[in-house]
Amino acid sequence: MKRYSVFAVAREAARYHTGWERAWRKAEPKKRYDAIIVGAGGHGLATAYYLGKRFGIRNVAVLEKGWLGGGNTGRNTTIIRSNYLQDPSAAIYEKSRALYETLSQDLNYNVMFSPRGVMMLAQTQHEVRGYQRTAHANALQGVKTEFIGPKRVKELCPIMNIDGPRYPVLGALWQDRGGTARHDAVAWGYARACSDMGMDIIQKCEVTAIRREGGKVTGVTTTMGDIDCDKLGIVVAGHSGVLAEMAGFRLPLESVALQALVSEPIKPCMDVVVMANTVHGYMSQSDKGEMVLGGGTDGYNNYTQRGSFHHIEETVRALVETFPMISRLKMLRQWGGIVDVTGDRSPILSKTPLEGCFINCGWGTGGFKAIPGSGYGFAELMAKGHSPLTEEFSMWRFREGKFIDESVAAGVAH
């Protein structure tokens, strides 16, 4: 009888409960699938999951040129909120936030959703008026938010200096059911659920060409060979333009790096998420005690996933006045992700000029919060050809001038 150490038993148990072995075992693709999803990040895995759960489409492959969740899903700062101004945006983000609340139960995997609350600071009179407008819009949309005064801001986040000499805190847009989740757990939870439905998750499988015939997609060419499919979903964030070019069309977006950093871990000192758009920074505290800091995108187009010194200085300088305590902290690590940004700062979830090919991109700096809602709506679009959640986010809105302008809500904050 074979003997196992206690560590081996624990390792095997962990493999079983996380679905690690099951989700990664399928290394070779089949010759044909009903649907192929390119991109094994949160949005791609969520799309595959809802294709199987809602529409019974389970002969699905999720192709990933790197490793599962190794792109923006594993590189973001995990903020979840739905207080957007425009009706289509509020609808899809609120659907996503609501799905996050029961996601651990739905996937039978703890995604560590923490509805700790998100506040967006108003530090100019212009922002006060803007956030009051958003609060009124959210009330009409059925999204629970409120505009709060400086006193309430200080009660919710005592470490904050609300009397800054340059940018005093005049109030905040507060969403008490917003919060955070564990980004890796979201990807792994969806991956395990997809694997349990019999789907193939194939890593180290780069798409090198999209095959088409008579204006219709027929399959893809990969580093593991040709694979046929009836429907193709492209969900690759910053590399959307590259895949679109393979499919024979162009997208109205640009790719830029978005950087973030975390401090050394300290004792719990804030239990809310704070975003400060005027000074271009935001901060929360992770469950490990690290202060998670981030700011805006790089000022030039690039595909890098590295950090840079000038961005550390810019982001930390912006936040030190509002949070003086962070001036004494040491940085633990820094990283970057590649985000795809549209002209109106709203996503694209759309059919394409190539029949049977669908595109999900353009989430910019706000992709993580939208993962469940994006997958829910995009799966419906792929399965049925239309979805109420995605109808306004067609790629042709730019040609028709039907913009969904979220430049204030999405272009700076997260």
Side-chain angles (χ1 to χ4, degrees):
M1 181 176 178
K2 190 173 181 180
R3 293 179 179 270
Y4 292 91
S5 71
V6 66
F7 299 106
V9 172
R11 183 173 62 249
E12 292 303 313
R15 283 178 174 177
Y16 175 80
H17 287 295
T18 60
W20 194 280
E21 288 277 298
R22 285 170 290 162
W24 276 256
R25 187 184 298 136
K26 302 166 185 174
E28 294 297 327
K30 294 187 289 188
K31 293 295 183 182
R32 185 174 189 84
Y33 292 93
D34 293 334
I36 290 176
I37 307 297
V38 184
H43 290 255
L45 291 165
T47 300
Y49 171 74
Y50 292 112
L51 277 173
K53 181 181 180 181
R54 296 188 64 209
F55 303 104
I57 302 173
R58 300 190 175 188
N59 182 24
V60 176
V62 184
L63 311 182
E64 172 57 52
K65 76 171 185 177
W67 63 92
L68 190 152
N72 292 348
T73 300
R75 295 169 179 270
N76 65 85
T77 51
T78 75
I79 297 173
I80 298 167
R81 65 182 179 90
S82 61
N83 49 356
Y84 280 72
L85 177 63
Q86 306 294 344
D87 290 349
S89 304
I92 196 166
Y93 283 109
E94 178 62 14
K95 178 65 176 180
S96 188
R97 190 206 58 77
L99 287 172
Y100 263 121
E101 292 203 325
T102 60
L103 194 59
S104 294
Q105 293 84 350
D106 295 341
L107 300 179
N108 191 28
Y109 193 96
N110 186 9
V111 302
M112 301 170 67
F113 175 63
S114 170
R116 63 186 66 185
V118 177
M119 69 169 71
M120 303 170 68
L121 300 183
Q123 295 180 282
T124 66
Q125 289 297 333
H126 175 73
E127 278 189 313
V128 170
R129 292 190 294 270
Y131 286 148
Q132 288 175 338
R133 177 193 180 196
T134 301
H136 294 316
N138 290 159
L140 295 173
Q141 295 155 351
V143 177
K144 185 184 176 185
T145 60
E146 61 177 317
F147 187 82
I148 59 176
K151 182 179 179 181
R152 178 64 174 150
V153 170
K154 185 69 172 179
E155 290 173 356
L156 289 167
C157 188
I159 66 171
M160 190 186 306
N161 172 27
I162 65 172
D163 300 314
R166 289 188 305 163
Y167 298 111
V169 175
L170 306 177
L173 184 63
W174 168 246
Q175 185 171 26
D176 61 354
R177 296 302 293 175
T180 62
R182 177 68 184 176
H183 45 24
D184 298 319
V186 172
W188 296 340
Y190 275 123
R192 188 179 77 158
C194 290
S195 181
D196 285 345
M197 286 189 280
M199 299 178 183
D200 290 346
I201 301 170
I202 306 163
Q203 299 178 99
K204 302 295 183 182
C205 181
E206 182 177 358
V207 173
T208 56
I210 294 175
R211 295 182 291 112
R212 52 193 188 272
E213 185 177 325
K216 186 180 188 305
V217 68
T218 59
V220 296
T221 298
T222 76
T223 50
M224 291 187 176
D226 289 351
I227 313 173
D228 294 336
C229 66
D230 295 325
K231 295 182 178 181
L232 176 67
I234 300 173
V235 198
V236 294
H239 286 88
S240 298
V242 177
L243 270 291
E245 187 174 350
M246 293 181 189
F249 60 90
R250 295 184 65 190
L251 291 170
L253 51 76
E254 56 187 6
S255 295
V256 293
L258 177 67
Q259 299 180 37
L261 62 142
V262 295
S263 75
E264 59 187 334
I266 58 176
K267 292 181 179 181
C269 62
M270 68 181 292
D271 58 359
V272 297
V273 179
V274 177
M275 301 190 297
N277 292 1
T278 297
V279 297
H280 220 160
Y282 60 98
M283 189 168 76
S284 63
Q285 187 168 22
S286 75
D287 56 340
K288 294 182 289 186
E290 302 160 345
M291 305 307 292
V292 183
L293 290 78
T297 56
D298 283 3
Y300 50 91
N301 294 353
N302 64 88
Y303 285 96
T304 184
Q305 292 180 308
R306 299 187 302 271
S308 59
F309 288 114
H310 81 275
H311 215 82
I312 299 174
E313 181 184 7
E314 177 184 316
T315 301
V316 173
R317 182 181 65 230
L319 290 171
V320 163
E321 180 182 305
T322 309
F323 299 93
M325 59 160 284
I326 69 172
S327 64
R328 295 177 176 271
L329 294 181
K330 297 178 181 177
M331 187 180 79
L332 183 63
R333 62 183 181 276
Q334 181 194 20
W335 66 93
I338 310 167
V339 299
D340 46 333
V341 184
T342 62
D344 61 359
R345 278 15 182 205
S346 289
I348 296 171
L349 298 99
S350 177
K351 297 178 181 178
T352 70
L354 179 61
E355 185 182 348
C357 179
F358 302 82
I359 187 82
N360 181 345
C361 64
W363 290 98
T365 62
F368 178 77
K369 69 173 72 69
I371 285 174
S374 164
Y376 190 97
F378 194 55
E380 185 174 33
L381 177 65
M382 290 187 65
K384 298 171 62 177
H386 62 88
S387 169
L389 281 177
T390 67
E391 188 174 355
E392 302 293 328
F393 295 105
S394 165
M395 64 183 292
W396 286 284
R397 73 177 186 271
F398 298 97
R399 184 174 64 189
E400 298 166 356
K402 297 179 179 179
F403 305 127
I404 306 171
D405 185 8
E406 292 288 1
S407 54
V408 173
V412 174
H414 302 261

